[in-house]
Amino acid sequence: DAGVIQSPRHEVTEMGQEVTLRCKPISGHDYLFWYRQTMMRGLELLIYFNNNVPIDDSGMPEDRFSAKMPNASFSTLKIQPSEPRDSAVYFCASSLGLVIISEQFFGPGTRLTVL
Amino acid sequence: AQKVTQAQTEISVVEKEDVTLDCVYETRDTTYYLFWYKQPPSGELVFLIRRNSFDEQNEISGRYSWNFQKSTSSFNFTITASQVVDSAVYFCALSSFRNTPLVFGKGTRLSVIA
């Protein structure tokens, strides 16, 4: 299997621009997670889906952030408008079943820099 | 509330030394799982181990060993005879039936010097 695929791997944008991060989970996995990693806050869960349905988005920082999962093989995390404090590494992860019974596989991450 | 504390922010050891990474967790649930992940300089997160709350047996995998003690709410990770390739950030994480996603600690950056 190809593993969790994220694109782009690196994104540099200017403040105010819209940013879209993409994720393809491992085929057959029914849970998808979006995390953000910063030096200050560590790894934070932003939102997760089960069978394409958002289950918990309480970690989404503010209305500028939105996530969708239109089908089982694709998810996006959008930031509009982007701000310098959004600079971070964004990870997508997927699992087959609940995390407590199934390993969570992480993608390589997208390093976002907002100037 | 669920919480994972990794008090050691950074550790530096000389190659071949043993090193223990501490992890203390908080949860009200009786059924939970504990995890360790490794994040090498390349950035990806690599799964190392998952233990459930009913199994307190220590586990050894090569140079890696884990000590789970419910009495102290700790799940410590020891690397024996460390190698330069062990240099990475190591994360401890917690999940339970009532809180599906992983709750991560802040991580411990381990530097192994040749």
Side-chain angles (χ1 to χ4, degrees):
Chain A
D1 205 327
V4 177
I5 300 172
Q6 290 187 249
S7 64
R9 292 294 308 276
H10 302 273
E11 177 80 29
V12 180
T13 190
E14 293 187 344
M15 183 174 65
Q17 296 297 307
E18 177 180 297
V19 175
T20 299
L21 311 181
R22 297 172 177 79
C23 175
K24 176 179 169 57
I26 292 174
S27 177
H29 282 192
D30 55 347
Y31 280 84
L32 184 139
F33 306 83
W34 281 100
Y35 291 88
R36 178 172 68 174
Q37 184 179 29
T38 61
M39 289 294 292
M40 291 294 293
R41 302 173 69 92
L43 267 164
E44 304 173 277
L45 177 69
L46 300 177
I47 184 172
Y48 76 96
F49 297 81
N50 177 218
N51 291 323
N52 313 338
V53 176
I55 303 300
D56 184 355
D57 65 353
S58 59
M60 296 286 260
E62 46 197 278
D63 291 345
R64 297 184 297 106
F65 286 70
S66 62
K68 294 182 180 179
M69 192 165 185
N71 57 62
S73 59
F74 184 65
S75 177
T76 59
L77 177 67
K78 186 175 295 186
I79 308 172
Q80 165 64 16
S82 58
E83 297 182 3
R85 59 193 169 120
D86 301 329
S87 297
V89 180
Y90 291 83
F91 287 100
C92 176
S94 70
S95 66
L96 177 60
L98 291 172
V99 168
I100 57 172
I101 58 173
S102 173
E103 178 184 341
Q104 192 171 104
F105 292 84
F106 283 79
T110 295
R111 182 174 295 277
L112 173 64
T113 302
V114 183
L115 304 174
Chain B
Q2 314 234 15
K3 186 179 178 181
V4 175
T5 301
Q6 295 180 255
Q8 305 150 309
T9 305
E10 293 189 34
I11 301 176
S12 185
V13 299
V14 177
E15 202 170 22
K16 297 184 183 178
E17 286 185 354
D18 298 347
V19 58
T20 296
L21 310 181
D22 298 333
C23 173
V24 174
Y25 62 92
E26 296 177 28
T27 179
R28 294 181 196 169
D29 295 315
T30 56
T31 303
Y32 53 89
Y33 276 69
L34 295 162
F35 302 76
W36 277 94
Y37 279 82
K38 174 182 179 181
Q39 187 176 39
S42 53
E44 75 276 19
L45 278 151
V46 179
F47 168 84
L48 294 178
I49 189 171
R50 175 179 66 243
R51 297 303 299 277
N52 73 61
S53 53
F54 299 108
D55 182 3
E56 285 193 72
Q57 282 192 357
N58 290 337
E59 182 154 343
I60 298 175
S61 176
R63 297 184 296 106
Y64 295 171
S65 62
W66 291 269
N67 180 253
F68 176 29
Q69 293 193 341
K70 289 178 74 170
S71 60
T72 56
S73 297
S74 66
F75 186 44
N76 296 338
F77 174 30
T78 298
I79 301 175
T80 303
S82 60
Q83 299 176 1
V84 172
V85 293
D86 296 327
S87 296
V89 180
Y90 291 86
F91 292 93
C92 182
L94 166 71
S95 181
S96 71
F97 276 112
R98 286 200 294 176
N99 185 42
T100 301
L102 291 169
V103 174
F104 282 89
K106 291 290 179 69
T108 297
R109 181 177 298 277
L110 173 65
S111 298
V112 181
I113 304 167

